[in-house]
Amino acid sequence: MRSSVEKKTPSPVKVLRRTSTASSLEDGAFALVLPVLAEQSTGKYGVAAVFVAVTAPWALASLPIGYLADHMSRTRLLRIAAVVRTGLAALLAALYLFGSPAPGLVAVVAFGLGSCAVASEIARQSLVPQLVSKPDQLVSANTEIAKVSQLYGGFVGPLVGGALLTWSQSGATIALAMFALITLIVTLGLPETPALRDEPMRVQTMVTVGLDGFRHIYRQRTLLTLAALSFTVSAIWYVWQTSFTAFALADNGLGASSLGYSVLLLAGTAGALVGNQLVQHVTRTFPLRTVLSMSLAVWVVWFVVPALTSSWYAILACLVLGGSAGLLWNTVSITARQLATAGHLLGRTTAAYRMVTRTGRVIGAAIAGLMMTHTSWQHIFAICAGAVAAVAVGILVLYRDRSMLEPEAR
């Protein structure tokens, strides 16, 4: 009887996969709903504020959260993030249930939800090695979790969010609060895991240990170059992304409904899934500098199409291309970081690297808010395409030596 009961008990990795599924579905739905709610209450400036609020936690909270993930139970960190996220989702629902919230409150809630998302992602990625029984199971576990995160965060979540917004605002936010509660319940099923460090948590230690990631990036030529490039590209991308969201939702833009906007998001995710099949072939065939420039060349098409036409078919096609190119850039930078970093430094290096690149997103979203007050959407899109083209040309001109951007062996 005992053996039959044990067989029915899911493995810890399967429970983490369920947690990732629920969390990604919730994140994907919020990623669509929050900008739409902001646009409905405060227009394009609200959209810019939400994009800044969602991305700012990566710049402000990555290092302390990474420190916490190494000094306390990662399961406990996941549970705390789930509890806080459920409370924020309930608060948002209450605000819309009893009337429209004051301008800016949606952005405040978005900042809190973004902080919880940062904590959840760092804790999940750090928790996997503690849950697998053998080192050779890491790749399959990470692949499965990444697959459900992409599927539910990029496809199902936005589609569900678009469908919810066909209801009333209060009904949509109540449903999102229920999703957050489901995520919390699933997270509570994770097995307890011990902290990896016994030393007490101190602010001074948090700073000195956290800065090791920055030191490693500074010493590694490839990582320093990629961090600078990714910061620049991320800033340009979020100028475009923030402006495009406002353009898509505005009556004098595409005039997309909430469900129509979800279709636009799905097009980008579809491109990422298609590009996933091409990444290995491209990276094995061409040197790193060529792959990066090829990726950005597609970004130029992605960015410039909305400046030339408002055709839904053309824009959907460019979003599919953009999803593929974005995945290629992301995969190359992650792989280079892993090759050039020892295992014991990978967590801190990842946190430092993401802090740099995600700060670019915050700056880009803020710049978009300023540009939209003085510049037409079409001109913004064209400027972004030109800036990305300049970066692509710069990579080819400045790094003519094929080995200059190849990651050093760790």
Side-chain angles (χ1 to χ4, degrees), residues 196-217:
L196 297 181
R197 292 172 179 259
D198 295 329
E199 63 188 57
M201 293 185 287
R202 298 189 180 95
V203 175
Q204 183 179 1
T205 305
M206 181 185 298
V207 173
T208 55
V209 172
L211 288 177
D212 284 344
F214 285 104
R215 296 188 186 101
H216 179 65
I217 291 173

Side-chain angles (χ1 to χ4, degrees), residues 246-336:
F247 167 71
L249 295 171
D251 291 335
N252 60 343
L254 290 180
S257 65
S258 56
L259 190 57
Y261 179 57
S262 70
V263 171
L264 295 174
L265 292 184
L266 293 178
T269 306
L273 292 176
V274 171
N276 189 44
Q277 308 300 318
L278 304 174
V279 168
Q280 290 188 357
H281 173 73
V282 173
T283 53
R284 289 172 182 171
T285 305
F286 301 100
L288 181 57
R289 62 185 283 275
T290 304
V291 173
L292 293 177
S293 294
M294 288 169 55
S295 172
L296 293 184
V298 181
W299 283 49
V300 174
V301 179
W302 174 21
F303 284 179
V304 81
V305 166
L308 303 176
T309 178
S310 294
S311 167
W312 273 73
Y313 294 109
I315 289 175
L316 286 171
C318 85
L319 291 174
V320 171
L321 285 175
S324 299
L327 178 73
L328 182 60
W329 179 280
N330 193 45
T331 302
V332 167
S333 60
I334 290 175
T335 302

Side-chain angles (χ1 to χ4, degrees), residues 42-121:
T42 53
K44 57 188 178 183
Y45 306 110
V47 175
V50 164
F51 271 97
V52 170
V54 169
T55 53
W58 281 106
L60 301 176
S62 292
L63 293 185
I65 288 175
Y67 177 87
L68 290 175
D70 283 340
H71 284 77
M72 64 181 293
S73 167
R74 289 158 181 170
T75 300
R76 184 175 301 174
L77 181 58
L78 270 172
R79 291 172 178 170
I80 292 172
V83 169
V84 175
R85 180 154 45 179
T86 303
L88 289 169
L91 172 62
L92 184 67
L95 290 173
Y96 277 96
L97 185 62
F98 297 105
S100 298
L105 277 181
V106 174
V108 172
V109 174
F111 179 84
L113 292 170
S115 300
C116 293
V118 172
S120 295
E121 183 172 337

Side-chain angles (χ1 to χ4, degrees), residues 114-392:
S115 300
C116 293
V118 172
S120 295
E121 183 172 337
I122 291 176
R124 282 200 305 267
Q125 291 183 5
S126 304
L127 183 60
V128 173
Q130 290 184 267
L131 298 184
V132 299
S133 57
K134 299 178 181 179
D136 58 6
Q137 296 175 343
L138 275 174
V139 173
S140 61
N142 284 322
T143 300
E144 286 300 312
I145 291 173
K147 186 185 299 181
V148 298
S149 297
Q150 189 176 60
L151 176 62
Y152 288 91
F155 258 107
V156 182
L159 190 59
V160 170
L164 289 178
L165 284 172
T166 61
W167 305 355
S168 64
Q169 293 177 333
S170 59
T173 52
I174 289 172
L176 289 174
M178 296 302 297
F179 286 159
L181 180 60
I182 292 172
T183 301
L184 173 59
I185 293 172
V186 176
T187 304
L188 292 176
L190 283 169
E192 288 287 348
T193 55
L196 297 181
R197 292 172 179 259
D198 295 329
E199 63 188 57
M201 293 185 287
R202 298 189 180 95
V203 175
Q204 183 179 1
T205 305
M206 181 185 298
V207 173
T208 55
V209 172
L211 288 177
D212 284 344
F214 285 104
R215 296 188 186 101
H216 179 65
I217 291 173
Y218 180 76
R219 292 167 185 159
Q220 290 283 338
R221 177 196 62 208
T222 296
L223 293 184
L224 184 61
T225 303
L226 282 175
L229 288 172
S230 294
F231 171 84
T232 304
V233 171
S234 293
I236 299 169
W237 173 28
Y238 258 66
V239 172
W240 187 92
Q241 183 70 27
T242 304
S243 303
F244 179 78
T245 300
F247 167 71
L249 295 171
D251 291 335
N252 60 343
L254 290 180
S257 65
S258 56
L259 190 57
Y261 179 57
S262 70
V263 171
L264 295 174
L265 292 184
L266 293 178
T269 306
L273 292 176
V274 171
N276 189 44
Q277 308 300 318
L278 304 174
V279 168
Q280 290 188 357
H281 173 73
V282 173
T283 53
R284 289 172 182 171
T285 305
F286 301 100
L288 181 57
R289 62 185 283 275
T290 304
V291 173
L292 293 177
S293 294
M294 288 169 55
S295 172
L296 293 184
V298 181
W299 283 49
V300 174
V301 179
W302 174 21
F303 284 179
V304 81
V305 166
L308 303 176
T309 178
S310 294
S311 167
W312 273 73
Y313 294 109
I315 289 175
L316 286 171
C318 85
L319 291 174
V320 171
L321 285 175
S324 299
L327 178 73
L328 182 60
W329 179 280
N330 193 45
T331 302
V332 167
S333 60
I334 290 175
T335 302
R337 188 166 67 242
Q338 292 172 338
L339 289 173
T341 306
H344 70 281
L345 267 175
L346 189 56
R348 281 166 286 173
T349 301
T350 299
Y353 189 93
R354 289 198 167 198
M355 182 176 178
V356 171
T357 58
R358 298 299 174 98
T359 299
R361 294 187 181 188
V362 179
I363 293 173
I367 291 174
L370 295 175
M371 291 182 69
M372 286 189 292
T373 62
H374 305 290
T375 312
S376 69
W377 285 306
Q378 286 74 17
H379 286 161
I380 294 174
F381 301 150
I383 291 170
C384 291
V388 167
V391 175

